[in-house]
Short mmCIF file of all heavy atoms in Angstrom, two decimals:
data_model
loop_
_atom_site.label_atom_id
_atom_site.label_comp_id
_atom_site.label_asym_id
_atom_site.label_seq_id
_atom_site.Cartn_x
_atom_site.Cartn_y
_atom_site.Cartn_z
N MET A 844 19.59 17.48 -21.15
CA MET A 844 20.91 17.89 -21.59
C MET A 844 21.94 17.47 -20.55
O MET A 844 21.80 17.75 -19.37
CB MET A 844 20.91 19.41 -21.77
CG MET A 844 22.20 19.93 -22.26
SD MET A 844 21.97 21.69 -22.62
CE MET A 844 23.57 22.05 -23.18
N LYS A 845 22.97 16.83 -20.97
CA LYS A 845 24.02 16.39 -20.06
C LYS A 845 24.92 17.56 -19.70
O LYS A 845 25.20 18.41 -20.52
CB LYS A 845 24.90 15.32 -20.73
CG LYS A 845 24.26 13.98 -20.85
CD LYS A 845 25.28 13.03 -21.43
CE LYS A 845 24.74 11.64 -21.55
NZ LYS A 845 25.72 10.72 -22.09
N SER A 846 25.35 17.57 -18.46
CA SER A 846 26.30 18.61 -18.08
C SER A 846 27.71 18.10 -18.32
O SER A 846 27.98 16.91 -18.24
CB SER A 846 26.11 18.99 -16.61
OG SER A 846 26.44 17.89 -15.80
N MET A 847 28.61 19.02 -18.65
CA MET A 847 30.00 18.66 -18.92
C MET A 847 30.81 18.80 -17.64
O MET A 847 30.61 19.74 -16.88
CB MET A 847 30.62 19.59 -19.96
CG MET A 847 30.05 19.50 -21.30
SD MET A 847 30.97 20.67 -22.32
CE MET A 847 30.78 19.93 -23.88
N ASN A 848 31.73 17.90 -17.45
CA ASN A 848 32.64 18.09 -16.33
C ASN A 848 33.75 19.04 -16.77
O ASN A 848 33.89 19.37 -17.93
CB ASN A 848 33.18 16.75 -15.81
CG ASN A 848 33.99 16.00 -16.85
OD1 ASN A 848 34.58 16.61 -17.73
ND2 ASN A 848 34.00 14.68 -16.76
N SER A 849 34.53 19.51 -15.83
CA SER A 849 35.55 20.51 -16.16
C SER A 849 36.60 19.96 -17.11
O SER A 849 37.17 20.69 -17.91
CB SER A 849 36.20 21.04 -14.90
OG SER A 849 36.84 19.99 -14.20
N ARG A 850 36.85 18.67 -17.06
CA ARG A 850 37.84 18.08 -17.96
C ARG A 850 37.35 18.12 -19.41
O ARG A 850 38.10 18.45 -20.32
CB ARG A 850 38.14 16.65 -17.54
CG ARG A 850 39.26 16.03 -18.30
CD ARG A 850 39.62 14.69 -17.74
NE ARG A 850 40.87 14.27 -18.32
CZ ARG A 850 41.57 13.28 -17.90
NH1 ARG A 850 41.16 12.58 -16.86
NH2 ARG A 850 42.69 12.97 -18.48
N SER A 851 36.07 17.86 -19.63
CA SER A 851 35.52 17.92 -20.98
C SER A 851 35.55 19.35 -21.51
O SER A 851 35.88 19.56 -22.68
CB SER A 851 34.07 17.42 -20.99
OG SER A 851 34.02 16.06 -20.64
N ARG A 852 35.20 20.31 -20.67
CA ARG A 852 35.24 21.71 -21.09
C ARG A 852 36.64 22.14 -21.45
O ARG A 852 36.85 22.83 -22.44
CB ARG A 852 34.69 22.60 -19.99
CG ARG A 852 33.20 22.67 -20.00
CD ARG A 852 32.71 23.66 -19.00
NE ARG A 852 31.93 22.87 -18.05
CZ ARG A 852 31.81 23.12 -16.77
NH1 ARG A 852 32.41 24.14 -16.24
NH2 ARG A 852 31.09 22.36 -16.00
N SER A 853 37.63 21.75 -20.66
CA SER A 853 39.00 22.18 -20.95
C SER A 853 39.50 21.56 -22.24
O SER A 853 40.25 22.18 -22.98
CB SER A 853 39.93 21.85 -19.79
OG SER A 853 40.05 20.45 -19.63
N SER A 854 39.08 20.35 -22.58
CA SER A 854 39.52 19.75 -23.84
C SER A 854 38.87 20.46 -25.02
O SER A 854 39.48 20.60 -26.07
CB SER A 854 39.22 18.25 -23.88
OG SER A 854 37.83 18.02 -23.95
N LEU A 855 37.64 20.94 -24.86
CA LEU A 855 37.01 21.71 -25.93
C LEU A 855 37.74 23.01 -26.18
O LEU A 855 37.96 23.42 -27.32
CB LEU A 855 35.54 22.01 -25.58
CG LEU A 855 34.55 20.87 -25.71
CD1 LEU A 855 33.19 21.30 -25.20
CD2 LEU A 855 34.44 20.40 -27.13
N VAL A 856 38.15 23.69 -25.11
CA VAL A 856 38.88 24.95 -25.25
C VAL A 856 40.23 24.72 -25.91
O VAL A 856 40.64 25.46 -26.79
CB VAL A 856 39.05 25.63 -23.87
CG1 VAL A 856 39.95 26.84 -23.98
CG2 VAL A 856 37.69 26.02 -23.30
N LYS A 857 40.91 23.65 -25.53
CA LYS A 857 42.24 23.38 -26.09
C LYS A 857 42.17 23.11 -27.59
O LYS A 857 43.06 23.46 -28.34
CB LYS A 857 42.87 22.17 -25.40
CG LYS A 857 43.37 22.46 -24.02
CD LYS A 857 43.96 21.21 -23.40
CE LYS A 857 44.34 21.46 -21.95
NZ LYS A 857 44.77 20.25 -21.28
N HIS A 858 41.09 22.48 -28.05
CA HIS A 858 40.98 22.13 -29.46
C HIS A 858 40.31 23.22 -30.29
O HIS A 858 40.10 23.06 -31.48
CB HIS A 858 40.22 20.81 -29.61
CG HIS A 858 40.93 19.66 -28.97
ND1 HIS A 858 42.19 19.26 -29.37
CD2 HIS A 858 40.58 18.85 -27.96
CE1 HIS A 858 42.58 18.23 -28.62
NE2 HIS A 858 41.61 17.97 -27.75
N GLY A 859 39.96 24.33 -29.66
CA GLY A 859 39.41 25.46 -30.40
C GLY A 859 37.97 25.30 -30.82
O GLY A 859 37.51 26.00 -31.71
N THR A 860 37.22 24.39 -30.24
CA THR A 860 35.83 24.20 -30.64
C THR A 860 34.85 24.79 -29.64
O THR A 860 33.66 24.65 -29.79
CB THR A 860 35.52 22.69 -30.80
OG1 THR A 860 35.80 22.03 -29.57
CG2 THR A 860 36.33 22.09 -31.92
N PHE A 861 35.33 25.44 -28.62
CA PHE A 861 34.46 26.03 -27.62
C PHE A 861 33.73 27.21 -28.26
O PHE A 861 34.36 28.09 -28.84
CB PHE A 861 35.29 26.48 -26.42
CG PHE A 861 34.46 26.74 -25.20
CD1 PHE A 861 33.89 25.71 -24.50
CD2 PHE A 861 34.24 28.04 -24.78
CE1 PHE A 861 33.14 25.95 -23.38
CE2 PHE A 861 33.48 28.29 -23.66
CZ PHE A 861 32.92 27.25 -22.95
N PRO A 862 32.40 27.27 -28.22
CA PRO A 862 31.64 28.27 -28.96
C PRO A 862 31.83 29.71 -28.49
O PRO A 862 31.54 30.63 -29.24
CB PRO A 862 30.20 27.84 -28.76
CG PRO A 862 30.20 26.97 -27.56
CD PRO A 862 31.57 26.34 -27.50
N LEU A 863 32.33 29.96 -27.30
CA LEU A 863 32.49 31.33 -26.82
C LEU A 863 33.80 31.98 -27.28
O LEU A 863 34.00 33.16 -27.04
CB LEU A 863 32.39 31.38 -25.30
CG LEU A 863 31.01 31.06 -24.72
CD1 LEU A 863 31.04 31.13 -23.21
CD2 LEU A 863 29.96 32.00 -25.27
N ARG A 864 34.63 31.25 -27.93
CA ARG A 864 35.92 31.82 -28.36
C ARG A 864 35.75 33.02 -29.29
O ARG A 864 36.39 34.05 -29.08
CB ARG A 864 36.77 30.73 -29.00
CG ARG A 864 38.19 31.17 -29.21
CD ARG A 864 39.04 30.03 -29.65
NE ARG A 864 40.42 30.35 -29.50
CZ ARG A 864 41.39 29.55 -29.78
NH1 ARG A 864 41.13 28.34 -30.21
NH2 ARG A 864 42.63 29.93 -29.62
N PRO A 865 34.91 32.95 -30.34
CA PRO A 865 34.74 34.15 -31.18
C PRO A 865 34.16 35.33 -30.40
O PRO A 865 34.52 36.47 -30.65
CB PRO A 865 33.75 33.69 -32.26
CG PRO A 865 33.88 32.21 -32.29
CD PRO A 865 34.22 31.80 -30.88
N LEU A 866 33.29 35.04 -29.44
CA LEU A 866 32.73 36.11 -28.62
C LEU A 866 33.82 36.78 -27.79
O LEU A 866 33.87 38.00 -27.69
CB LEU A 866 31.63 35.56 -27.71
CG LEU A 866 31.00 36.56 -26.76
CD1 LEU A 866 30.30 37.67 -27.52
CD2 LEU A 866 30.03 35.85 -25.83
N ALA A 867 34.72 35.99 -27.24
CA ALA A 867 35.81 36.55 -26.43
C ALA A 867 36.72 37.43 -27.29
O ALA A 867 37.18 38.48 -26.85
CB ALA A 867 36.62 35.42 -25.79
N VAL A 868 36.98 37.01 -28.51
CA VAL A 868 37.82 37.81 -29.42
C VAL A 868 37.11 39.12 -29.76
O VAL A 868 37.74 40.18 -29.76
CB VAL A 868 38.14 37.01 -30.70
CG1 VAL A 868 38.81 37.89 -31.74
CG2 VAL A 868 39.02 35.82 -30.35
N ALA A 869 35.81 39.06 -30.02
CA ALA A 869 35.06 40.27 -30.35
C ALA A 869 35.07 41.26 -29.18
O ALA A 869 35.24 42.47 -29.38
CB ALA A 869 33.63 39.92 -30.73
N VAL A 870 34.90 40.77 -27.98
CA VAL A 870 34.92 41.64 -26.79
C VAL A 870 36.30 42.26 -26.62
O VAL A 870 36.44 43.44 -26.36
CB VAL A 870 34.49 40.87 -25.53
CG1 VAL A 870 34.77 41.67 -24.27
CG2 VAL A 870 33.02 40.49 -25.61
N ALA A 871 37.35 41.47 -26.79
CA ALA A 871 38.71 41.98 -26.64
C ALA A 871 39.00 43.07 -27.67
O ALA A 871 39.62 44.09 -27.34
CB ALA A 871 39.71 40.84 -26.75
N LEU A 872 38.55 42.87 -28.90
CA LEU A 872 38.79 43.88 -29.94
C LEU A 872 37.99 45.15 -29.69
O LEU A 872 38.46 46.25 -29.99
CB LEU A 872 38.45 43.31 -31.32
CG LEU A 872 39.40 42.26 -31.85
CD1 LEU A 872 38.90 41.68 -33.16
CD2 LEU A 872 40.80 42.83 -32.04
N SER A 873 36.80 45.02 -29.13
CA SER A 873 36.01 46.22 -28.87
C SER A 873 36.60 47.06 -27.75
O SER A 873 36.34 48.26 -27.67
CB SER A 873 34.56 45.83 -28.54
OG SER A 873 34.50 45.22 -27.27
N LEU A 874 37.38 46.48 -26.88
CA LEU A 874 37.99 47.21 -25.78
C LEU A 874 39.38 47.73 -26.11
O LEU A 874 40.02 48.37 -25.28
CB LEU A 874 38.06 46.32 -24.53
CG LEU A 874 36.72 45.87 -23.97
CD1 LEU A 874 36.93 44.89 -22.83
CD2 LEU A 874 35.88 47.03 -23.54
N SER A 875 39.85 47.49 -27.31
CA SER A 875 41.20 47.90 -27.68
C SER A 875 41.25 49.41 -27.93
O SER A 875 40.24 50.04 -28.22
CB SER A 875 41.66 47.15 -28.94
OG SER A 875 40.92 47.60 -30.06
N PRO A 876 42.43 50.00 -27.87
CA PRO A 876 42.57 51.44 -28.11
C PRO A 876 42.17 51.87 -29.51
O PRO A 876 41.90 53.03 -29.74
CB PRO A 876 44.06 51.71 -27.88
CG PRO A 876 44.55 50.58 -27.08
CD PRO A 876 43.68 49.41 -27.42
N ALA A 877 42.09 50.96 -30.45
CA ALA A 877 41.69 51.32 -31.82
C ALA A 877 40.27 51.85 -31.87
O ALA A 877 39.89 52.54 -32.80
CB ALA A 877 41.84 50.11 -32.75
N ALA A 878 39.47 51.56 -30.85
CA ALA A 878 38.11 52.08 -30.81
C ALA A 878 38.10 53.60 -30.72
O ALA A 878 37.13 54.24 -31.10
CB ALA A 878 37.36 51.48 -29.63
N ALA A 879 39.16 54.21 -30.25
CA ALA A 879 39.24 55.66 -30.15
C ALA A 879 39.39 56.33 -31.51
O ALA A 879 39.26 57.53 -31.62
CB ALA A 879 40.41 56.05 -29.25
N LEU A 880 39.61 55.57 -32.56
CA LEU A 880 39.80 56.13 -33.88
C LEU A 880 38.48 56.53 -34.54
O LEU A 880 38.47 56.93 -35.69
CB LEU A 880 40.55 55.13 -34.77
CG LEU A 880 41.95 54.77 -34.30
CD1 LEU A 880 42.55 53.71 -35.20
CD2 LEU A 880 42.84 55.99 -34.26
N ALA A 881 37.37 56.42 -33.85
CA ALA A 881 36.08 56.74 -34.43
C ALA A 881 35.81 58.24 -34.48
O ALA A 881 34.85 58.66 -35.08
CB ALA A 881 34.97 56.03 -33.66
N ASN A 882 36.63 59.06 -33.85
CA ASN A 882 36.42 60.51 -33.90
C ASN A 882 36.72 61.03 -35.29
O ASN A 882 37.56 60.50 -36.00
CB ASN A 882 37.33 61.21 -32.90
CG ASN A 882 36.82 61.12 -31.49
OD1 ASN A 882 35.63 60.95 -31.27
ND2 ASN A 882 37.71 61.24 -30.53
N PRO A 883 36.05 62.11 -35.70
CA PRO A 883 36.37 62.72 -36.99
C PRO A 883 37.79 63.29 -36.98
O PRO A 883 38.32 63.64 -35.93
CB PRO A 883 35.32 63.83 -37.15
CG PRO A 883 34.76 64.05 -35.80
CD PRO A 883 34.99 62.81 -35.00
N THR A 884 38.39 63.39 -38.14
CA THR A 884 39.76 63.89 -38.25
C THR A 884 39.85 64.96 -39.33
O THR A 884 39.03 65.01 -40.25
CB THR A 884 40.74 62.76 -38.61
OG1 THR A 884 40.34 62.18 -39.85
CG2 THR A 884 40.78 61.69 -37.54
N GLY A 885 40.86 65.78 -39.23
CA GLY A 885 41.18 66.76 -40.27
C GLY A 885 40.16 67.88 -40.39
O GLY A 885 39.66 68.16 -41.47
N ALA A 886 39.87 68.55 -39.30
CA ALA A 886 38.89 69.64 -39.34
C ALA A 886 39.45 70.87 -40.05
O ALA A 886 40.55 71.31 -39.77
CB ALA A 886 38.48 70.01 -37.92
N VAL A 887 38.66 71.40 -40.97
CA VAL A 887 38.99 72.65 -41.65
C VAL A 887 37.80 73.58 -41.46
O VAL A 887 36.69 73.28 -41.91
CB VAL A 887 39.26 72.42 -43.16
CG1 VAL A 887 39.51 73.75 -43.86
CG2 VAL A 887 40.41 71.46 -43.36
N VAL A 888 38.02 74.70 -40.75
CA VAL A 888 36.94 75.64 -40.49
C VAL A 888 36.78 76.53 -41.73
O VAL A 888 37.71 77.22 -42.14
CB VAL A 888 37.24 76.49 -39.24
CG1 VAL A 888 36.13 77.50 -39.00
CG2 VAL A 888 37.43 75.59 -38.03
N VAL A 889 35.58 76.52 -42.31
CA VAL A 889 35.29 77.30 -43.51
C VAL A 889 34.63 78.62 -43.14
O VAL A 889 34.88 79.65 -43.77
CB VAL A 889 34.38 76.49 -44.46
CG1 VAL A 889 34.00 77.29 -45.68
CG2 VAL A 889 35.05 75.19 -44.86
N ASN A 890 33.79 78.60 -42.12
CA ASN A 890 33.09 79.82 -41.72
C ASN A 890 32.85 79.80 -40.21
O ASN A 890 32.59 78.74 -39.63
CB ASN A 890 31.74 79.91 -42.45
CG ASN A 890 31.04 81.23 -42.22
OD1 ASN A 890 31.66 82.28 -42.25
ND2 ASN A 890 29.74 81.16 -41.98
N GLY A 891 32.94 80.96 -39.57
CA GLY A 891 32.64 81.07 -38.15
C GLY A 891 33.87 80.83 -37.28
O GLY A 891 34.99 80.70 -37.77
N GLN A 892 33.62 80.80 -35.99
CA GLN A 892 34.69 80.55 -35.03
C GLN A 892 34.44 79.20 -34.39
O GLN A 892 33.36 78.95 -33.86
CB GLN A 892 34.73 81.65 -33.98
CG GLN A 892 35.12 83.00 -34.54
CD GLN A 892 35.14 84.07 -33.45
OE1 GLN A 892 34.83 83.83 -32.30
NE2 GLN A 892 35.54 85.28 -33.84
N VAL A 893 35.46 78.37 -34.41
CA VAL A 893 35.34 77.00 -33.90
C VAL A 893 36.53 76.69 -33.02
O VAL A 893 37.67 77.00 -33.37
CB VAL A 893 35.27 75.98 -35.07
CG1 VAL A 893 35.18 74.57 -34.54
CG2 VAL A 893 34.11 76.29 -35.99
N SER A 894 36.25 76.08 -31.87
CA SER A 894 37.29 75.60 -30.97
C SER A 894 37.16 74.08 -30.90
O SER A 894 36.09 73.56 -30.58
CB SER A 894 37.10 76.22 -29.59
OG SER A 894 37.95 75.58 -28.66
N ILE A 895 38.25 73.38 -31.20
CA ILE A 895 38.26 71.92 -31.20
C ILE A 895 39.33 71.45 -30.22
O ILE A 895 40.48 71.86 -30.30
CB ILE A 895 38.54 71.36 -32.60
CG1 ILE A 895 37.46 71.84 -33.58
CG2 ILE A 895 38.61 69.85 -32.57
CD1 ILE A 895 37.76 71.54 -35.02
N HIS A 896 38.91 70.62 -29.27
CA HIS A 896 39.83 70.11 -28.25
C HIS A 896 39.63 68.61 -28.12
O HIS A 896 38.51 68.15 -27.96
CB HIS A 896 39.57 70.80 -26.92
CG HIS A 896 40.44 70.29 -25.81
ND1 HIS A 896 41.80 70.57 -25.74
CD2 HIS A 896 40.18 69.51 -24.75
CE1 HIS A 896 42.31 69.98 -24.67
NE2 HIS A 896 41.33 69.32 -24.05
N GLN A 897 40.73 67.86 -28.21
CA GLN A 897 40.66 66.41 -28.04
C GLN A 897 41.50 65.99 -26.84
O GLN A 897 42.66 66.34 -26.73
CB GLN A 897 41.16 65.68 -29.29
CG GLN A 897 40.98 64.19 -29.19
CD GLN A 897 41.17 63.48 -30.51
OE1 GLN A 897 41.43 64.10 -31.53
NE2 GLN A 897 41.04 62.18 -30.50
N ALA A 898 40.87 65.23 -25.93
CA ALA A 898 41.55 64.67 -24.76
C ALA A 898 41.26 63.18 -24.74
O ALA A 898 40.14 62.77 -24.41
CB ALA A 898 41.06 65.34 -23.48
N GLY A 899 42.24 62.39 -25.13
CA GLY A 899 42.03 60.94 -25.22
C GLY A 899 41.06 60.64 -26.35
O GLY A 899 41.25 61.07 -27.48
N ASN A 900 39.98 59.94 -26.03
CA ASN A 900 39.00 59.64 -27.07
C ASN A 900 37.77 60.54 -27.00
O ASN A 900 36.76 60.27 -27.60
CB ASN A 900 38.57 58.17 -26.99
CG ASN A 900 37.89 57.82 -25.68
OD1 ASN A 900 37.84 58.64 -24.77
ND2 ASN A 900 37.38 56.63 -25.59
N VAL A 901 37.88 61.67 -26.28
CA VAL A 901 36.80 62.64 -26.18
C VAL A 901 37.13 63.85 -27.04
O VAL A 901 38.17 64.48 -26.87
CB VAL A 901 36.56 63.08 -24.71
CG1 VAL A 901 35.49 64.14 -24.64
CG2 VAL A 901 36.20 61.88 -23.86
N LEU A 902 36.25 64.16 -27.97
CA LEU A 902 36.43 65.31 -28.86
C LEU A 902 35.37 66.34 -28.51
O LEU A 902 34.18 66.06 -28.54
CB LEU A 902 36.28 64.88 -30.32
CG LEU A 902 36.43 65.98 -31.36
CD1 LEU A 902 37.87 66.48 -31.41
CD2 LEU A 902 36.00 65.47 -32.72
N SER A 903 35.80 67.58 -28.18
CA SER A 903 34.87 68.66 -27.87
C SER A 903 34.97 69.72 -28.95
O SER A 903 36.05 70.21 -29.26
CB SER A 903 35.21 69.29 -26.52
OG SER A 903 35.11 68.34 -25.49
N VAL A 904 33.81 70.07 -29.50
CA VAL A 904 33.76 71.09 -30.54
C VAL A 904 32.81 72.18 -30.06
O VAL A 904 31.65 71.93 -29.75
CB VAL A 904 33.25 70.51 -31.88
CG1 VAL A 904 33.15 71.60 -32.94
CG2 VAL A 904 34.13 69.37 -32.35
N THR A 905 33.33 73.42 -29.99
CA THR A 905 32.52 74.58 -29.62
C THR A 905 32.54 75.52 -30.80
O THR A 905 33.61 75.85 -31.32
CB THR A 905 33.10 75.28 -28.37
OG1 THR A 905 33.26 74.31 -27.33
CG2 THR A 905 32.20 76.40 -27.90
N ASN A 906 31.34 75.96 -31.23
CA ASN A 906 31.29 76.79 -32.42
C ASN A 906 30.27 77.91 -32.26
O ASN A 906 29.37 77.84 -31.43
CB ASN A 906 30.96 75.97 -33.66
CG ASN A 906 29.63 75.28 -33.55
OD1 ASN A 906 29.47 74.39 -32.73
ND2 ASN A 906 28.67 75.69 -34.37
N THR A 907 30.43 78.96 -33.09
CA THR A 907 29.46 80.04 -33.14
C THR A 907 28.36 79.64 -34.13
O THR A 907 28.56 78.74 -34.96
CB THR A 907 30.13 81.35 -33.60
OG1 THR A 907 30.72 81.14 -34.88
CG2 THR A 907 31.20 81.80 -32.61
N PRO A 908 27.20 80.31 -34.06
CA PRO A 908 26.13 80.00 -35.02
C PRO A 908 26.61 80.17 -36.47
O PRO A 908 27.43 81.03 -36.78
CB PRO A 908 25.04 81.01 -34.69
CG PRO A 908 25.29 81.34 -33.25
CD PRO A 908 26.78 81.29 -33.08
N ASN A 909 26.12 79.32 -37.33
CA ASN A 909 26.41 79.32 -38.77
C ASN A 909 27.86 78.94 -39.10
O ASN A 909 28.34 79.24 -40.19
CB ASN A 909 26.07 80.67 -39.42
CG ASN A 909 24.60 81.00 -39.29
OD1 ASN A 909 23.76 80.11 -39.44
ND2 ASN A 909 24.29 82.23 -38.96
N SER A 910 28.56 78.32 -38.17
CA SER A 910 29.92 77.85 -38.46
C SER A 910 29.85 76.65 -39.39
O SER A 910 28.89 75.87 -39.37
CB SER A 910 30.64 77.43 -37.18
OG SER A 910 30.85 78.55 -36.36
N ILE A 911 30.88 76.52 -40.19
CA ILE A 911 30.98 75.39 -41.12
C ILE A 911 32.33 74.72 -40.91
O ILE A 911 33.37 75.38 -40.93
CB ILE A 911 30.85 75.84 -42.59
CG1 ILE A 911 29.49 76.52 -42.81
CG2 ILE A 911 31.02 74.66 -43.53
CD1 ILE A 911 29.36 77.16 -44.17
N ILE A 912 32.30 73.40 -40.71
CA ILE A 912 33.53 72.62 -40.52
C ILE A 912 33.53 71.51 -41.57
O ILE A 912 32.58 70.75 -41.67
CB ILE A 912 33.59 71.97 -39.12
CG1 ILE A 912 33.41 73.02 -38.03
CG2 ILE A 912 34.91 71.22 -38.94
CD1 ILE A 912 33.20 72.43 -36.65
N ASN A 913 34.58 71.47 -42.34
CA ASN A 913 34.77 70.35 -43.28
C ASN A 913 35.70 69.34 -42.62
O ASN A 913 36.84 69.66 -42.29
CB ASN A 913 35.38 70.82 -44.61
CG ASN A 913 34.38 71.55 -45.47
OD1 ASN A 913 33.18 71.33 -45.35
ND2 ASN A 913 34.87 72.41 -46.34
N TRP A 914 35.20 68.11 -42.42
CA TRP A 914 36.00 67.04 -41.83
C TRP A 914 36.60 66.21 -42.95
O TRP A 914 35.91 65.85 -43.89
CB TRP A 914 35.13 66.16 -40.92
CG TRP A 914 34.55 66.89 -39.76
CD1 TRP A 914 33.30 67.40 -39.64
CD2 TRP A 914 35.23 67.21 -38.54
NE1 TRP A 914 33.14 68.02 -38.43
CE2 TRP A 914 34.30 67.91 -37.72
CE3 TRP A 914 36.51 66.97 -38.06
CZ2 TRP A 914 34.63 68.36 -36.46
CZ3 TRP A 914 36.82 67.43 -36.77
CH2 TRP A 914 35.90 68.11 -36.00
N GLN A 915 37.88 65.92 -42.84
CA GLN A 915 38.56 65.12 -43.86
C GLN A 915 38.22 63.63 -43.76
O GLN A 915 38.24 62.93 -44.75
CB GLN A 915 40.08 65.31 -43.77
CG GLN A 915 40.52 66.74 -43.96
CD GLN A 915 40.06 67.32 -45.28
OE1 GLN A 915 40.24 66.70 -46.32
NE2 GLN A 915 39.43 68.47 -45.24
N GLY A 916 37.91 63.16 -42.55
CA GLY A 916 37.58 61.75 -42.40
C GLY A 916 36.76 61.50 -41.14
O GLY A 916 36.89 62.19 -40.15
N PHE A 917 35.87 60.52 -41.27
CA PHE A 917 35.06 60.09 -40.13
C PHE A 917 34.74 58.62 -40.33
O PHE A 917 34.13 58.24 -41.32
CB PHE A 917 33.78 60.91 -40.03
CG PHE A 917 32.96 60.56 -38.81
CD1 PHE A 917 33.30 61.09 -37.58
CD2 PHE A 917 31.89 59.70 -38.89
CE1 PHE A 917 32.57 60.77 -36.45
CE2 PHE A 917 31.15 59.39 -37.77
CZ PHE A 917 31.49 59.92 -36.56
N SER A 918 35.21 57.81 -39.43
CA SER A 918 35.04 56.37 -39.59
C SER A 918 34.57 55.76 -38.27
O SER A 918 35.08 56.10 -37.21
CB SER A 918 36.37 55.73 -39.99
OG SER A 918 36.22 54.34 -40.07
N ILE A 919 33.59 54.88 -38.36
CA ILE A 919 33.13 54.18 -37.14
C ILE A 919 33.21 52.68 -37.34
O ILE A 919 33.26 52.20 -38.43
CB ILE A 919 31.69 54.57 -36.74
CG1 ILE A 919 30.71 54.35 -37.89
CG2 ILE A 919 31.66 55.99 -36.30
CD1 ILE A 919 29.29 54.52 -37.50
#
C-alpha cells in the first residue's frame, strides 16, 4: 500500500472524499447539547411521593415504594 504525502491528503479533504468526514460529523453531533434531551419529560405522579430534580443533563428521581409516575415523553 502506498503512503500518501500531506499534499495528497489535503486535496482529498478539500474535495470531500476523505473517508473520515462522516465519522467526524457523527462525533460532533454526539457531543452536542441535544444529547441532553434523552431524559424523560412531563412527569405526572399518580400514586406515592416522588421528588424529581434535574441539574443539567442529570435527572434524579426519589420515590416511596409503590409510587407511580406517568411520563409524557421519553426519547433516546
Side-chain angles (χ1 to χ4, degrees):
M844 182 173 181
K845 286 185 178 180
S846 65
M847 294 181 153
N848 62 28
S849 61
R850 187 173 192 168
S851 296
R852 277 185 243 148
S853 66
S854 69
L855 284 174
V856 173
K857 285 179 186 174
H858 297 299
T860 58
F861 196 72
L863 292 180
R864 191 172 195 178
L866 178 62
V868 170
V870 169
L872 289 175
S873 70
L874 297 175
S875 70
L880 298 177
N882 282 336
T884 59
V887 177
V888 178
V889 177
N890 187 43
Q892 294 180 357
V893 179
S894 170
I895 300 171
H896 178 71
Q897 185 167 0
N900 62 353
V901 176
L902 180 69
S903 299
V904 178
T905 307
N906 60 293
T907 58
N909 299 319
S910 294
I911 300 172
I912 306 170
N913 285 335
W914 298 99
Q915 301 302 311
F917 184 80
S918 177
I919 55 172

